[in-house]
Amino acid sequence: RRWVVHGRVQGVFFRASTRDAALALGLDGSARNLADGRVEVIARGTPQRLRHLADWLRQGPPAARVDAIEELPCEARPGAGFTTG
């Protein structure tokens, strides 16, 4: 799955916190800052675990302010682990 998260999501440990949440759920994928201030998250795993991550993304870490989250088509096949970049 692929999500794009809008709001105050850069400079608030969003990617690192997303990695921690995803790894705790046993998901593979990545989180990266986009040039326009959003964060893109790609994850692979069971539907239930992906739903849990999506729920987490709607709030993010304490310093973040999530205004919106988009779920978009994804053709990427992330490898093992979870990266931030």
Side-chain angles (χ1 to χ4, degrees), residues 9-11 14-15 31-40 84-85:
V9 294
Q10 291 189 14
F14 199 95
R15 290 175 299 138
R32 69 181 183 107
N33 287 340
L34 299 177
D36 63 4
R38 300 176 299 163
V39 170
E40 177 188 59
T84 60

Side-chain angles (χ1 to χ4, degrees), residues 34-77:
L34 299 177
D36 63 4
R38 300 176 299 163
V39 170
E40 177 188 59
V41 178
I42 296 173
R44 178 173 51 106
T46 67
Q48 180 181 17
R49 291 177 184 201
L50 291 169
R51 277 193 304 276
H52 285 302
L53 182 62
D55 290 342
W56 185 90
L57 291 172
R58 286 181 180 85
Q59 289 191 337
R65 184 195 75 240
V66 176
D67 294 334
I69 178 174
E70 296 176 76
E71 187 168 337
L72 303 166
C74 181
E75 296 183 17
R77 301 290 297 172

